[in-house]
């Protein structure tokens, strides 16, 4: 079960190639984003991407996987996630059946060696990514939602790309996955984890980039309507709302207007469709008042 690390070819040849290939799968990356992705790939280091919800952190991992033809393995973090859900666990029900079947026919040592074997192992995302021989993007999503103890699990994985299974030995990656961690900054991650990663902060794009993103995802949208959408969303983001609109919601708004056959973003159009971008009643009331919708 112990593996030997092998030299591997990088996924990208240059920063410009990162930009071009990500754009080819619909992700418009700034120079800073493309440079950081290139360095994470070239240096073989995990990439920690922080920023508000809805700015494209998860989409970046998906785009890297699509642009490079890599498999995507995703660990969705949440409060209470533990080693069994993140790393691996044993199929206890199957082990119990095996022990019961072997009673009186073989020694305990033989039974023990059998029940702690590959047949009874249930790999979870971290172990799955480590064991893959094909190019892999490991997405550890919303790391800040997990308990601090989970970060300890990641230190071995992200430092040496290996997993220790006491009953079977140490599994070391033959091909390092491209690891990308996301955080919405709801809590501070440990310094030990940060030291192992390159860091990228993603914020909402500037108006020109957001307009290009919207037109890339909704190419049928008229240029003037895309401009109006982006301007209105920026006004909404400047308000003190419970949840400001994400880039994904700007895109959804554009698709909504097309589906309704609307070609202008006037007061009536905003009033009819505001629920696409604002998901709290208090935010809708506040926006309607500040945008002076009648």
């Amino acid at each position: 079960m112990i593996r030997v690390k092998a030299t591997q070819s990088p996924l990208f040849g240059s920063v410009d190639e990162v930009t071009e290939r990500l754009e080819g799968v619909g992700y418009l990356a700034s120079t800073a984003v493309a440079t950081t992705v290139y360095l994470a790939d070239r240096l073989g280091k995990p990439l920690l991407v922080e920023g508000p919800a809805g700015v494209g952190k998860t989409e970046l991992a998906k785009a890297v996987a699509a642009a490079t033809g890599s498999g995507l393995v995703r660990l969705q973090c949440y409060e209470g996630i533990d080693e069994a859900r993140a790393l691996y666990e044993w199929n206890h029900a199957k082990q119990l059946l095996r022990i019961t079947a072997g009673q009186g026919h073989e020694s305990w040592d033989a039974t023990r060696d059998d029940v702690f074997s590959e047949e009874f192992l249930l790999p979870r995302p971290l172990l799955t990514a480590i064991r893959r021989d094909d190019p892999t993007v490991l997405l550890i999503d919303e790391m800040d939602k997990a308990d601090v103890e989970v970060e300890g699990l990641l230190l071995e994985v992200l430092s040496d790309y290996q997993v220790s299974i006491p009953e079977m030995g140490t599994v070391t990656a033959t091909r390092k996955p491209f690891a990308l961690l996301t955080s919405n900054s709801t809590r501070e991650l440990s310094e030990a984890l940060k030291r192992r990663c390159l860091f990228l902060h993603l914020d909402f794009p500037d108006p020109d980039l957001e307009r290009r993103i919207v037109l890339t995802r909704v190419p049928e949208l008229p240029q003037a309507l895309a401009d109006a959408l982006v301007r209105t969303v920026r006004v909404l983001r400047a308000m003190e709302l419970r949840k400001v609109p994400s880039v994904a919601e700007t895109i959804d708004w554009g698709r909504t207007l097309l589906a309704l056959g609307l070609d202008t973003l006037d007061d009536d159009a905003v009033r009819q469709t505001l629920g696409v971008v604002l998901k709290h009643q208090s935010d809708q009331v506040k926006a309607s008042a500040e945008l002076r919708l009648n």
Side-chain angles (χ1 to χ4, degrees):
M1 187 100 182
I2 298 177
R3 299 185 177 193
V4 179
K5 294 181 181 178
T7 303
Q8 64 188 59
S9 301
L11 299 173
F12 301 101
S14 66
V15 174
D16 288 342
E17 184 182 332
V18 175
T19 303
E20 293 170 5
R21 292 173 69 179
L22 291 182
E23 185 173 354
V25 294
Y27 191 97
L28 303 183
S30 66
T31 301
V33 171
T35 300
T36 310
V37 168
Y38 171 75
L39 290 174
D41 173 46
R42 186 53 60 106
L43 299 177
K45 293 182 70 68
L47 174 57
L48 170 61
V49 186
E50 286 190 344
V55 295
K57 303 184 296 295
T58 300
E59 288 302 314
L60 177 57
K62 294 178 179 179
V64 170
T68 59
S70 300
L72 179 68
V73 177
R74 180 175 182 172
L75 173 62
Q76 179 63 53
C77 296
Y78 52 87
E79 185 177 354
I81 190 172
D82 58 11
E83 180 175 348
R85 295 298 177 187
L87 203 53
Y88 71 90
E89 63 182 323
W90 294 103
N91 189 331
H92 299 301
K94 190 173 181 180
Q95 285 178 320
L96 183 58
L97 288 173
R98 173 64 181 83
I99 292 171
T100 302
Q103 285 180 344
H105 303 290
E106 59 187 16
S107 67
W108 164 243
D109 287 341
T111 302
R112 181 191 56 206
D113 290 343
D114 193 16
V115 296
F116 289 111
S117 62
E118 184 71 32
E119 180 183 355
F120 300 88
L121 185 67
L122 298 174
R124 299 309 184 195
L126 294 180
L127 180 57
T128 297
I130 290 296
R131 299 171 81 190
R132 281 177 56 90
D133 294 322
D134 297 327
T136 302
V137 172
L138 170 61
L139 168 60
I140 304 173
D141 213 5
E142 298 184 301
M143 183 67 225
D144 52 322
K145 289 187 177 181
D147 298 329
V148 176
E149 290 76 14
V150 176
E151 294 185 30
L153 290 177
L154 293 175
L155 297 182
E156 179 185 21
V157 175
L158 298 180
S159 293
D160 302 314
Y161 289 94
Q162 66 180 28
V163 171
S164 297
I165 304 176
E167 299 86 355
M168 299 176 66
T170 299
V171 181
T172 302
T174 56
R175 182 182 183 93
K176 289 183 179 181
F178 181 98
L180 190 150
L181 297 77
T182 75
S183 169
N184 295 334
S185 303
T186 58
R187 73 169 177 85
E188 190 72 20
L189 301 180
S190 71
E191 292 300 322
L193 180 62
K194 287 185 173 182
R195 280 197 303 271
R196 286 159 173 77
C197 303
L198 297 185
F199 178 79
L200 173 66
H201 179 80
L202 275 186
D203 210 334
F204 293 108
D206 60 46
D208 179 63
L209 180 56
E210 186 161 15
R211 181 172 54 251
R212 290 173 56 208
I213 292 170
V214 171
L215 291 173
T216 297
R217 296 299 183 91
V218 195
E220 307 89 352
L221 198 67
Q223 174 83 39
L225 189 52
D227 291 342
L229 274 176
V230 171
R231 285 197 305 269
T232 305
V233 167
R234 290 185 69 80
V235 171
L236 293 173
R237 288 179 186 150
M239 300 178 187
E240 294 183 1
L241 303 176
R242 289 182 61 185
K243 182 186 179 302
V244 297
S246 67
V247 177
E249 286 161 337
T250 308
I251 295 169
D252 286 343
W253 207 2
R255 289 171 175 158
T256 298
L257 296 177
L258 279 182
L260 294 174
L262 301 174
D263 56 8
T264 58
L265 193 63
D266 54 20
D267 285 357
D268 287 339
V270 173
R271 188 183 305 105
Q272 294 176 46
T273 60
L274 197 56
V276 175
V277 287
L278 299 182
K279 309 302 173 61
H280 295 280
Q281 177 64 19
S282 59
D283 287 348
Q284 293 188 28
V285 171
K286 184 179 182 67
S288 296
E290 297 200 21
L291 292 173
R292 297 182 179 179
L293 302 179
N294 298 317

